[in-house]
Amino acid sequence: TQLAVEGINIQNKKHALIAQTADGLAACTIRVLNNPKLGQDLAVKAYELVKEDYNWAKISDKLDKLYKEVGGQ
């Protein structure tokens, strides 16, 4: 659901298939099961997103900046 990916830079149909209902989620699941290439493409794009946006180096840089702002430096 959109709530499940809130705060993450996931784009529907690029990194994942997002549905708002149980029926929608079932339809997305069936779509991926019937189209392995789609599942592979989503997995590759999602991996790239995580590697680029959510790696420890990037997270620690953001935290360092935040700590400096809060600490007044």
Side-chain angles (χ1 to χ4, degrees):
T1 67
Q2 195 61 44
L3 181 61
V5 298
E6 188 173 317
I8 303 172
N9 293 328
I10 288 179
Q11 295 175 22
N12 190 27
K13 298 179 185 168
K14 179 176 181 181
H15 306 108
L17 299 179
I18 300 170
Q20 296 305 111
T21 65
D23 287 343
L25 180 58
C28 288
T29 302
I30 291 168
R31 184 173 169 199
V32 170
L33 290 172
N34 287 333
N35 187 346
K37 174 140 178 34
L38 172 62
Q40 183 64 34
D41 291 345
L42 291 170
V44 167
K45 291 291 185 184
Y47 177 79
E48 290 172 357
L49 173 71
V50 170
K51 190 170 82 171
E52 293 298 317
D53 289 1
Y54 301 99
N55 64 65
W56 281 112
K58 197 166 211 176
I59 292 169
S60 64
D61 285 344
K62 288 180 182 179
L63 281 174
D64 188 46
K65 288 176 187 173
L66 177 66
Y67 293 150
K68 287 179 180 176
E69 285 178 23
V70 172
Q73 292 183 350

